[in-house]
Amino acid sequence: QVQLVESGGGLVQPGGSLRLSCVASGFFLKDYSIAWFRQAPGKEREGVSGVSSSVSDTYYADSVKGRFTISRDNADNTVYLQMNSLKPEDTAVYYCAANLMRSRLTGTEAEYEYSYWGQGTKVTVSS
């Protein structure tokens, strides 16, 4: 069964850290570019970060640049999102998604390009 499963979300105080994991099963993550998206209550889903399949280039939304770090471990079929200095505005459901169409992500890709999506993990930043 082909699926992506996110984990690592939870409640954290402002300034805290979380590490999200995205584990793939049924396919090899190394063949795909992977992105993290998030959707806050009442808002549209937005791209947060991505890592390319070809040369592991990364991109970050301006809102998270310098605070979030994306990485991949192809041996474990897992992509991580390390989130530091979290702010209340980072509160959202975070999704990972796999893109086979692009070997290099820039953050401008359409959602329809992503073949597989996880179910999401909720992150709440609050004191």
Side-chain angles (χ1 to χ4, degrees):
Q1 183 180 3
V2 173
Q3 62 178 353
L4 290 170
V5 178
E6 303 97 334
S7 62
L11 173 64
V12 63
Q13 291 187 341
S17 298
L18 284 174
R19 188 175 81 155
L20 306 184
S21 299
C22 170
V23 180
S25 60
F27 67 101
F28 293 111
L29 212 58
K30 66 178 179 62
D31 297 328
Y32 291 76
S33 296
I34 305 297
W36 284 94
F37 293 80
R38 67 185 181 187
Q39 187 166 22
K43 294 188 177 181
E44 292 187 356
R45 189 157 55 188
E46 62 175 356
V48 174
S49 180
V51 56
S52 303
S53 63
S54 59
V55 292
S56 290
D57 282 353
T58 58
Y59 81 85
Y60 298 93
D62 288 343
S63 58
V64 306
K65 209 168 288 185
R67 300 188 297 122
F68 289 12
T69 303
I70 190 170
S71 61
R72 64 191 304 158
D73 185 338
N74 290 333
D76 285 343
N77 232 23
T78 303
V79 171
Y80 301 98
L81 186 68
Q82 177 67 43
M83 306 188 297
N84 299 328
S85 303
L86 282 162
K87 304 175 181 180
E89 50 264 43
D90 295 318
T91 295
V93 177
Y94 284 72
Y95 302 89
C96 63
N99 187 323
L100 187 59
M101 295 176 64
R102 307 268 186 175
S103 60
R104 202 165 209 158
L105 298 180
T106 61
T108 60
E109 295 75 25
E111 288 194 4
Y112 70 80
E113 295 188 24
Y114 290 84
S115 305
Y116 307 121
W117 291 80
Q119 82 292 345
T121 185
K122 187 174 182 180
V123 172
T124 303
V125 185
S126 175
S127 55

